[in-house]
Amino acid sequence: MRIAHTLGDEDLYAMLLQQALWRRDRFRAWFERLRKGSFLRHLLFNVPPGALLGLLLHPLWVGLIHGLRLRRFPAVIYVAAVALAVLLATILQRFMAPLRLRLAAIYRWSAKRRMRAARVKSVLGEIEVAIEEDGLLRVNAAGKLRVPWSEVVAILDSPALFTVVLARRRVIGAPLRAFPEDASARAFRAEVERRSGKGAVFVPDSP
């Protein structure tokens, strides 16, 4: 099974944006497991950011004490207040789902920021990708690259782009136009899934 297409800047940008959204979804899924998992582990996760926020707010606490002439209050009270705030925040997080901010502009900015480095490492132009018994074969102007199935980290799928994430920060991507029809795209994805042992992750808001 073989496909061919022309890799351009738009394809490269789309792959970078797709990966950014994939990492976002991975973090969300990891945090959701943490939120619903062990309470102690969740509490320990909140301690570092809670302590950092406590340090940032400490000058306001000191100013409040001096302003209200409550200098007899020891510093241990503030430490206890921070610890209580971390505990209450953890309890609230167990019952309230976190806000899901889309932050589309930030993801686009991140993809554009990585474009320069990605363009240097990538070879634009005509590219062929073939499925072989031992792995994927990519052929472009730089030559041939054979990637064993064991190096496939993840498979990303979206309405306009199919990307295979590889070890050592490499990717092999194919836009939907590389396939003559939707059925062939699904067949290509299924074959990569079967041989790599990785299930495709759908990224709905990827371009």
Side-chain angles (χ1 to χ4, degrees):
M1 191 174 294
R2 182 184 298 266
I3 59 173
H5 64 95
T6 301
L7 182 68
D9 284 340
E10 291 184 358
D11 302 316
L12 195 59
Y13 172 74
M15 285 190 286
L16 292 173
L17 183 55
Q18 187 188 53
Q19 291 176 70
L21 297 172
W22 169 59
R23 284 190 292 268
R24 175 203 65 182
D25 292 342
R26 287 180 69 192
F27 175 79
R28 285 178 175 176
W30 174 83
F31 184 77
E32 191 64 18
R33 290 195 301 270
L34 175 70
R35 192 174 69 88
K36 295 182 178 180
S38 168
F39 180 82
L40 179 60
R41 183 182 178 188
H42 189 182
L43 179 64
L44 292 177
F45 173 80
N46 283 334
V47 167
L52 178 60
L53 183 61
L55 289 175
L56 293 177
L57 294 179
H58 186 259
L60 296 178
W61 168 262
V62 173
L64 179 64
I65 289 179
H66 284 278
L68 297 179
R69 298 179 180 180
L70 301 175
R71 300 182 184 182
R72 294 184 179 180
F73 280 77
V76 69
I77 293 181
Y78 184 71
V79 175
V82 172
L84 181 61
V86 172
L87 178 62
L88 292 176
T90 304
I91 294 174
L92 288 176
Q93 288 173 359
R94 309 289 286 191
F95 297 98
M96 298 175 60
L99 295 175
R100 290 181 174 255
L101 303 176
R102 296 189 63 85
L103 304 176
I106 293 180
Y107 296 118
R108 288 195 294 267
W109 170 82
S110 176
K112 291 178 181 178
R113 183 182 60 84
R114 297 173 56 200
M115 268 291 291
R116 180 177 299 178
R119 191 182 288 113
V120 171
K121 296 179 181 179
S122 303
V123 178
L124 303 181
E126 296 294 328
I127 178 174
E128 293 185 5
V129 180
I131 297 177
E132 297 185 337
E133 187 68 28
D134 299 330
L136 287 170
L137 171 65
R138 185 189 67 189
V139 182
N140 57 18
K144 297 182 179 181
L145 172 66
R146 283 185 166 83
V147 181
W149 294 115
S150 59
E151 293 191 7
V152 175
V153 175
I155 301 170
L156 310 182
D157 191 22
S158 71
L161 182 65
F162 176 77
T163 304
V164 181
V165 181
L166 307 173
R168 298 191 294 277
R169 302 175 66 87
R170 298 175 300 165
V171 297
I172 294 179
L176 190 61
R177 66 176 185 275
F179 303 95
E181 54 187 4
D182 292 343
S184 61
R186 290 193 298 269
F188 189 91
R189 182 192 64 192
E191 190 66 14
V192 174
E193 286 181 303
R194 184 182 69 83
R195 292 181 180 272
S196 66
K198 302 285 186 180
V201 178
F202 185 66
V203 185
D205 44 3
S206 177

